[in-house]
Amino acid sequence: MTDHVCLHGYRYSVYNRIARLTLLRKRVSHDLVEVDPFSELPVDYMALHPFGRVPVLIHNGFAIYETAAITRYIDRAFPGDALQPEAPKILTRMDQVISVIDNYCYWPMVRQVFSHRIFRPITGEPACRNEIAQGMKSSGRALAALERIALEGHVLNGKSMTLADLHLAPMIDYFTRAEEGREALSDFPGLSNWWKEISVIPELSESEPDLSALLSG
């Protein structure tokens, strides 16, 4: 039986992009179904994700939500280069980075800095300078923590690809679209070197959302 893989998600969501990056990196053929979590969701989608968020991966009828679970499943279920290291210490660092990203990077970098500096102005929504300022303050602390891990060299080293790289890349992409974000990242040489390497992988450009489409509605 041919595998059927379908990713339900919102094209502008960094978490949807994380899942897509993992599928692309593992060269998994997949279909995309657009789901806007900010609209009223249909009953059948709520049956897939009881919390009404994105993304959801369906593989031959097996449905998974929560991005970290999705990416680990993709890595385990499909052939290709492993994205989870075998060495316990390195694997633990990878898990730690993913947790740091989810808990301390997503909100300030994406929902505060990117959303208020880039996304909201494009869509004609009001932006808040205070939100940007708060986001930059919190982002600095998160970047400093990730810098220490990057300099350690086990993960985020720009050489050996893990799920930590794919989890962080969409966040940094959005964050550095803001001038403040680019300047902040430049203060961290380890992460800057990592981003220089990761920003040119083909999967990142292939999964890049077209923000200009927001201008037309």
Side-chain angles (χ1 to χ4, degrees):
M1 181 178 67
T2 303
D3 282 331
H4 181 253
V5 179
C6 185
L7 181 66
H8 295 247
Y10 183 53
R11 70 188 67 183
Y12 304 114
S13 163
V14 289
Y15 284 102
N16 182 65
R17 194 176 183 190
I18 290 165
R20 277 212 72 202
L21 278 171
T22 310
L23 288 166
L24 293 168
R25 190 71 184 181
K26 297 288 283 192
R27 295 181 173 84
V28 178
S29 178
H30 58 281
D31 296 325
L32 299 173
V33 175
E34 184 73 7
V35 176
D36 184 352
F38 300 103
S39 65
E40 184 175 352
L41 295 170
V43 174
D44 58 349
Y45 186 77
M46 293 301 296
L48 295 174
H49 198 315
F51 303 102
R53 302 181 116 179
V54 293
V56 170
L57 183 80
I58 302 178
H59 177 211
N60 292 338
F62 179 59
I64 319 158
Y65 60 88
E66 291 302 307
T67 305
I70 290 171
T71 58
R72 286 172 172 86
Y73 176 79
I74 294 168
D75 190 42
R76 294 163 184 164
F78 297 97
D81 294 338
L83 297 172
Q84 297 176 90
E86 292 186 3
K89 290 181 180 179
I90 301 177
L91 181 61
T92 299
R93 278 289 187 256
M94 183 201 81
D95 290 337
Q96 182 182 15
V97 166
I98 290 173
S99 183
V100 168
I101 294 165
D102 289 342
N103 288 292
Y104 309 111
C105 294
Y106 169 67
W107 190 266
M109 291 183 182
V110 177
R111 296 301 296 271
Q112 291 184 300
V113 176
F114 169 76
S115 179
H116 285 268
R117 178 61 75 201
I118 306 296
F119 194 88
R120 283 173 174 259
I122 290 176
T123 59
E125 297 181 57
C128 177
R129 292 183 179 180
N130 188 51
E131 286 288 327
I132 297 171
Q134 290 180 7
M136 288 304 303
K137 182 177 180 180
S138 298
S139 295
R141 188 173 183 181
L143 289 170
L146 293 175
E147 174 76 355
R148 289 192 291 272
I149 293 175
L151 292 176
E152 183 184 43
H154 292 317
V155 295
L156 303 182
N157 54 32
K159 299 175 183 178
S160 54
M161 183 74 66
T162 74
L163 294 179
D165 299 272
L166 302 181
H167 217 86
L168 182 58
M171 309 272 182
I172 296 297
D173 179 26
Y174 271 0
F175 181 64
T176 55
R177 294 186 188 213
E179 182 178 355
E180 298 96 329
R182 290 193 298 273
E183 292 177 355
L185 185 66
S186 68
D187 291 335
F188 301 96
L191 286 176
S192 293
N193 290 334
W194 166 82
W195 182 236
K196 182 180 179 180
E197 297 293 331
I198 202 75
S199 64
V200 296
I201 65 171
E203 295 86 355
L204 200 64
S205 59
E206 188 172 350
S207 64
E208 182 177 4
D210 181 12
L211 295 178
S212 66
L214 294 166
L215 293 170
S216 60

